[in-house]
Structures are given as structure tokens and as C-alpha cells.
Amino acid sequence: MTAELVRGQNHPLSEVRLEVRISAGRPVVAVATLSDDSGRARGAEWVVHPGAPVLPGLEVSRQAAADHRLAVDLGAIPEAVHRVDVLLALPAAGGGPTRFGAVAAPFVAVTGLDGTELVSYTITGLDAESAVIAVELYRRQGAWKVRAVGQGYAGGLTELLTDLGLTQAAELAGAAEEAVAEGLARSVAVPPPRTTDDDRSHQASAPPRPNPAASVSSREGSSSEGSSHEGQVSGTPAPSAPQPAGPGGSGDGTPAAGPSMSVPAGGTIDYRHPRRQPAPPSGQPSDPPRQPAPAAPAASPGHDGQPSRPIAGDATGWSMEERLYNQVWGMFEDLARTTAAYRSAVDFAESRMEKELDQVLSDPRSRIGGQGDAARDAALDKHAQLVDQARAALDRDLAQLTDESEVVEPALPAAYARWDNPVWHGYRVPMEIPMAVRLGDLHLPEDPSLRIPMLIRLPLERGLWIDSGRWASPDESFADEGERRRLAMEAAVAHAARLIAVYPAGEFGVHVIDPAGSGAQALAPLVRTGVLAGPPAVGAAGVADVMSRLTQRVDLVQMAVRGGAPDALPPGFDAAEQLLIVNDFPHGFDDRAVTQLRYLADEGPAVGVHLMMVADREDAAAYGPLLDPLWRSLMRLTPVPDDHLADPWIGHAWTYEPPVVPPGSQVLQLVLTEVATARRDWNR
């Protein structure tokens, strides 16, 4: 269970390969320093910052961001190092806030490589400070611990580094700020213009809450077993947001309460969810809105005066699409919290039973005669009673969410709907980019039939990795390598088809690299309908050509934006968003192409070039840790159900269900044909 620290509290670390995840709501700079046994940093070579982001056993982000993931390998840190300080600073560039008192309290979590949260800490009490020591990892008697620090500095990063004993503090702070300024220039997205989130006025009067699917975070880390996500599922992921005070209970041994769901005396459930508020866009600030978004319509009362069936769009928002998005997010959080309450209650019942049984066994008098048996029976009966009560509360909440899901699912627009939804039979190419797109479903083992749509915000903020490796699946039929690769490629085509379908005509192009031609059968729907930007590239020459064209595109857009002239692109430049599907990586890739691929994964999303990898990580094992940043930057999805994702509130292991086209259905062909027709009309 996660240990939630307060300032000054420490906790032992059970693992040496870790991630330090930071969610700040606003872009912040992440820096880390190494200190010796006297607590002093020996020089600039013991500082990692955006301008020098890597040291043995430590890597920080290369630019300011609202969410950070710092990779830490305590086993690789030099023996002379006894402490690692994780620092946060507000960037001077970008015109953002200059003090932490003006932003949401930063949240820090230390996790294992599988995404399991070990400790968390919310940095509160900051005001005029613009830099802060968030946490420190320190070595004590051969073991590593983490301490929540929360020490702020009004003088910024320079004052903080000076306090750590660095004589080059000003130069180091300047180098970090310069690297951040360059990163901010690279991160500006290029038009096409679209309805912005500010125009939609997402925020309501309640505090912001995280984006559901965008903030679902992958539980895979940077080891050879898997990759780090999003988020946040941390799109969005995600995630990716300040955590609640605690999922497991109040800390005094009492089980946590479940989600607040009103049940009137008559037993009818109130489906209106008055506390559901819209989620802020992933990575966007939570400024107060100019005016609140319209409230959701109330459920119509029944004949008895109580609310009747749930209704679709039961959330705040300016449009039905936005209300449904926020409603799905509310269902996602409600399910996470009510399941946490149930599991906490069961844990409490078991610990209480064990305590009572220990008391019985510790008394020699109770071991003779029927007194001991009676005490044991009483303890077991009490345990069963507590578990039954918890299960009854869970079943009530699950029934409510199931009823709501049955109403919401048929009302979802095409971008949010499953492939078997009738909305696809009346599909028309949209005129605007939707808020989000559905990349699958999520469910928990307490009720596998209750599936929550996994919605990822658009445009995509990170690439996708369709894992064709060995999955943790009990079905041995998936052990065949050829079958795994086929399923992974079919899943990639389904994801790509959905992305193509939800964008307006002419605003989304798709390129494919299939060096050996092994994905030809799965790619047939895309090729036959003519929705690809060109034939799939084959061979090393095809790989080099596509990678060169897309990296040049990223360079051109970045230069135009950096020069303050985003409209001064070459004549005929296609401003549409681009998706690159790479199958069978690293086959056909030389060292130059691999470097270009990493560049696209890092820099492409900010300028509208997105990556979808279909690969088995083991195939690229020869590259060693060189590709770890690549795998960490992508959201890992599987072509079969797999429980590799975690929510940002509780950390449950959610089973991901990929979007499957019904067997024998022609919906994919119909949708892609409609897109191809609309594109021909648009190009006339």
C-alpha cells in the first residue's frame, strides 16, 4: 500500500530501480543533485538538469512540463553519493507564474518500474518560493530511504543550489533556464486552428480533477519487461495529477468511505452526481474560468418524486460531447474509489480477525475446552459480516454505475463509441476535431462486465506502442510469435482507422513503414480504401525515405515556430497532423533511422507528427538502455486484455481491453470508404 508522507517523514525503499513522478499542474523544471556523506554537492558534474539531463543512475526531463518522470537506478549511483535531492523550479521563460503559491500544490510519487506507487507526497505550504527541494533519496547503513522535504527558496534555483554548496550555482541555474527556453520554443504546436479548451470553458467552480483516460498511467517501467506509459491511461492519459489524501482509509484502521452516492430513504438511487465536475485538459493550467460551464440537466423525477433512470450527459460542459466526456471521467473515478473502499474494508476485516485470533491463541486458558473454539467462531463470523457489508455497498455502487453505463454507452458519439455501436452505421466525416478518442475499455476484477471507455485527449500528446511481445495472458494460444504479431498489427490498424475517422477530411495523414511486408494482410483495409499518404514503405531504403521526410517536416515546423513565423512554411506544405505506423521494429532500421525515430517520438507530437510502434521490445534488446527513453515515451497498449495500466487516484491495476471490430463486420471498410470519398471531394 502506498505510504503518504508529510514534511520531514521518511520511508524505506524496497526497490533500487525507481521512477520519481511529478505532477504540478503548471510547467516546472525538474533538477536533481547528488551529495556526499556531508550533504554537499561536489560540483557541476553532480547536477542533472535540462541542459545536462543524464548521470549514471539518474535522468531528468529535458524541458519544463506539468508532469515529469525521473528515472533513478540507485544501484548505478556512485558509492561516494549518499543523497539524491529532487528539485523543482518555476521556469523564468514562458510568462508563467513566478511563485509556487500561485499554482496547485505539486505532487510527487516514487514508484517501482511496474508503476506500483511506493510513497507519495503533496508539497503544501509554499507561497513566495519559486524553487523547492521536493524529496530526497538517501543512503543509511547500506539501505536507501526517501524523505519528504518541501523546503522552498524565494531566490529561485540559484539560491537553492547555493545552499547545497555549489559555487557555480548561478551558471548551473542559467544553463537549466536556457535549455528550458529552447524546449518551450520546440513545444509550441502548429495550427490548424481548432476550438480550444479555453473557449470550451472546461473549468467549473470546484477544484480541477484529472483527465480520466489521459491520466491512466502505464504500470510498465524502463526495464526489459515493459515500458513506462499515460499516464495519467497519466492521455491521456496521465497520470498525472495531484493524488487524493489516501485511498486506503483514514490511517486509524478504519476502512475508507466509498464514493458519495445519495441513496434516499425509499431506496431509489440519485443518479445526478452533483459533485462531478469537468476535468481540465491534460497538462493545462487550472485557472479560474471566465464563467462557469453550464450544469448538467437533472434526472427527471419519477412518479414517487425520486430521480428515475440515469441520463446521458449528466455532467457539466458546453456541449453534449463535453458532458459525455466528463461523465465518463466521473464514472471512471467513481469505480476506482468505490473499489478502493471495498478493498480497504476487506483488509480491515482480515486484520481485525487476525488480531482477535492472535489474542485467543496467546491466552493458554482459551486453548482448552470450548472457549477457544467459540472465540475463533466469533472472529470468523465478524469477519464474514464485515466483508458481506462491504460487498453489499460495493454491489450497490456497481449496480448504479452499470445502469449509468447502459444509458451512456449508446449515446456516445463515434469518437467515443465501440465499433459495434450503431452510430458507426450512420457515420459521416466530422467537421471538427473531437475532444478525445476511445482507444479501448478498462475494467476491474470486482466486476469485469462493467467497462469504462478509455478516452485519450486529442491531439495525441505521446505516441502509442502496440506490444507484440509476450503478454501476461493465461491463453496459451497467444504464445505463437506469428499470431502475436498478427493480432498486434490488426489492433494498430483499428486504432489508426479510428484516428482517421474522427479527424476532418484532409487534417490527418497516415504513413506506414513495413520493412519486410509482414503486415500486408492487416494493412489491407487502409491500402484498399486509399486513406494512406502513400504505399507502405518496405526495405531499408523505404525506411530511410519515410524517416527522412518526417524528420525534415518536424525540423521545418520547429524552425518556423522558433522564428516567430509559423505561417511562413513552404508553398504546398501539408499542415495536417501525421501518424507514422512502424511495424516489425527494428527490422530495416540502421543507427541513423533509430536516432530519427527517437527524435520523432520526442519532438513530433508538439508539431503534429505522431508515432505508433508495433514491436516486441525483446527484438530490440541489442540496443540495450539506448532505447529505454523511447519505450518510456510511448503509451503501451496490448492487442489482448492485459492489466498493465493504473489509475492516478488509487493505483488499481486496470485490465485494458483493446477495441475489437466485431467478427464479420464491415464497419471498418464502410468508415474508411466514407473517409476516402470525403477526402476526394475536399481535394477538388
Side-chain angles (χ1 to χ4, degrees):
M1 183 175 292
T2 304
E4 297 182 26
L5 305 184
V6 296
R7 182 174 297 176
Q9 188 177 3
N10 61 53
H11 192 273
L13 292 172
S14 57
E15 302 181 33
V16 295
R17 299 189 68 185
L18 308 165
E19 275 193 351
V20 179
R21 303 183 180 184
I22 299 162
S23 296
R26 289 274 192 169
V28 296
V29 183
V31 179
T33 61
L34 308 180
S35 302
D36 56 21
D37 54 359
S38 65
R40 313 294 286 181
R42 295 185 178 179
E45 67 277 7
W46 275 25
V47 181
V48 284
H49 57 80
V54 180
L55 280 179
L58 193 59
E59 181 179 357
V60 302
S61 305
R62 290 168 169 77
Q63 61 185 20
D67 300 299
H68 288 273
R69 288 165 173 262
L70 281 61
V72 181
D73 185 352
L74 298 174
I77 289 179
E79 286 294 327
V81 174
H82 286 257
R83 194 178 77 199
V84 179
D85 290 299
V86 177
L87 322 177
L88 304 179
L90 292 170
T98 58
R99 61 187 187 90
F100 275 108
V103 302
F107 174 81
V108 181
V110 180
T111 74
L113 290 183
D114 61 353
T116 301
E117 196 172 285
L118 306 177
V119 300
S120 64
Y121 171 45
T122 301
I123 309 173
T124 58
L126 299 178
D127 187 11
E129 298 88 345
S130 58
V132 61
I133 302 177
V135 296
E136 63 180 21
L137 314 177
Y138 62 98
R139 197 195 310 256
R140 181 66 54 83
Q141 297 179 347
W144 284 91
K145 296 184 176 182
V146 58
R147 176 182 288 116
V149 181
Q151 175 64 51
Y153 293 80
L157 193 57
T158 300
E159 181 184 355
L160 193 161
L161 294 175
T162 301
D163 195 45
L164 292 175
L166 288 160
T167 57
Q168 316 96 315
E171 292 81 357
L172 287 168
E177 287 291 349
E178 182 179 355
V180 167
E182 294 176 358
L184 288 175
R186 290 195 300 268
S187 66
V188 177
V190 174
R194 56 171 292 183
T195 304
T196 66
D197 291 315
D198 287 338
D199 293 335
R200 297 176 189 263
S201 297
H202 280 275
Q203 315 300 323
S205 56
R209 297 160 76 179
N211 168 16
S215 59
V216 171
S217 56
S218 168
R219 299 171 59 242
E220 300 294 334
S222 58
S223 71
S224 60
E225 298 296 323
S227 85
S228 168
H229 56 282
E230 136 145 236
Q232 284 117 173
V233 98
S234 244
T236 53
S240 304
Q243 310 284 338
S250 61
D252 60 357
T254 5
S260 52
M261 298 179 179
S262 171
V263 182
T268 305
I269 299 173
D270 184 347
Y271 290 98
R272 288 177 293 183
H273 302 289
R275 278 168 292 282
R276 285 192 184 166
Q277 301 294 337
S282 176
Q284 295 297 320
S286 53
D287 290 335
R290 290 186 293 272
Q291 60 184 28
S300 302
H303 295 296
D304 57 357
Q306 300 293 345
S308 59
R309 297 282 298 170
I311 60 173
D314 179 19
T316 56
W318 283 100
S319 65
M320 178 56 74
E321 177 195 13
E322 185 175 1
R323 289 177 176 176
L324 287 168
Y325 173 85
N326 290 325
Q327 186 172 14
V328 169
W329 169 81
M331 294 164 59
F332 179 51
E333 183 176 7
D334 285 348
L335 181 55
R337 295 193 187 282
T338 193
T339 303
Y342 167 71
R343 294 179 181 179
S344 178
V346 171
D347 290 343
F348 172 74
E350 291 178 351
S351 63
R352 175 172 176 163
M353 179 183 67
E354 291 174 359
K355 181 179 179 180
E356 292 175 349
L357 291 177
D358 288 342
Q359 290 175 346
V360 171
L361 295 175
S362 63
D363 186 356
R365 293 172 299 177
S366 65
R367 300 176 190 171
I368 303 174
Q371 183 179 357
D373 294 337
R376 279 190 290 270
D377 292 342
L380 292 172
D381 290 343
K382 184 62 176 176
H383 171 268
Q385 180 184 357
L386 291 174
V387 171
D388 290 344
Q389 290 175 351
R391 185 69 209 193
L394 175 67
D395 289 342
R396 179 198 65 209
D397 293 342
L398 291 177
Q400 173 180 343
L401 289 169
T402 299
D403 287 347
E404 188 172 12
S405 176
E406 291 173 352
V407 172
V408 169
E409 191 69 49
L412 295 176
Y416 302 175
R418 291 196 298 251
W419 284 115
D420 59 357
N421 193 308
V423 71
W424 287 108
H425 296 289
Y427 167 78
R428 292 294 181 269
V429 177
M431 301 298 292
E432 293 184 356
I433 303 172
M435 289 180 59
V437 66
R438 185 174 188 160
L439 293 185
D441 294 332
L442 300 168
H443 66 81
L444 291 172
E446 280 74 10
D447 188 356
S449 64
L450 178 56
R451 287 170 165 77
I452 305 297
M454 176 179 163
L455 303 181
I456 301 295
R457 291 298 297 268
L458 292 178
L460 296 174
E461 296 181 356
R462 53 194 305 212
L464 304 176
W465 168 29
I466 315 301
D467 190 358
S468 61
R470 295 183 180 275
W471 313 295
S473 171
D475 193 335
E476 294 298 327
S477 64
F478 297 138
D480 177 71
E481 180 180 356
E483 180 73 0
R484 295 198 310 267
R485 295 182 185 276
R486 181 187 66 80
L487 290 172
M489 197 59 197
E490 288 178 353
V493 169
H495 289 308
R498 182 177 289 265
L499 287 168
I500 293 170
V502 302
Y503 271 80
E507 292 195 21
F508 197 81
V510 179
H511 310 260
V512 176
I513 290 178
D514 187 20
S518 59
Q521 182 178 354
L523 290 166
L526 302 178
V527 175
R528 283 198 306 264
T529 52
V531 295
L532 297 179
V538 296
V543 172
D545 177 62
V546 174
M547 297 304 300
S548 176
R549 284 190 286 111
L550 290 179
T551 51
Q552 287 176 7
R553 175 191 177 86
V554 173
D555 290 340
L556 278 174
V557 175
Q558 286 186 341
M559 287 189 292
V561 173
R562 195 177 296 122
D567 296 328
L569 293 166
F573 183 86
D574 182 8
E577 304 249 337
Q578 306 293 319
L579 173 68
L580 172 62
I581 303 175
V582 177
N583 183 37
D584 210 13
F585 177 81
H587 183 78
F589 279 74
D590 56 18
D591 290 344
R592 176 181 174 82
V594 169
T595 302
Q596 291 173 326
L597 188 70
R598 289 187 56 187
Y599 177 68
L600 289 183
D602 291 339
E603 307 293 342
V607 294
V609 178
H610 310 285
L611 180 63
M612 183 185 293
M613 297 271 291
V614 183
D616 179 355
R617 186 170 182 173
E618 291 300 318
D619 291 344
Y623 287 93
L626 176 67
L627 292 183
D628 282 354
L630 171 65
W631 303 116
R632 286 199 301 266
S633 70
L634 304 174
M635 174 180 287
R636 177 177 175 258
L637 302 176
T638 54
V640 296
D642 189 71
D643 61 348
H644 66 283
L645 297 175
D647 64 76
W649 307 288
I650 314 300
H652 293 314
W654 291 75
T655 297
Y656 166 76
E657 293 267 0
V660 177
V661 179
S665 173
Q666 296 298 313
V667 62
L668 210 62
Q669 186 74 22
L670 293 172
V671 169
L672 294 176
T673 300
E674 183 70 22
V675 171
T677 302
R679 287 185 177 182
R680 286 193 295 269
D681 296 340
W682 182 79
N683 287 323
R684 288 177 182 172

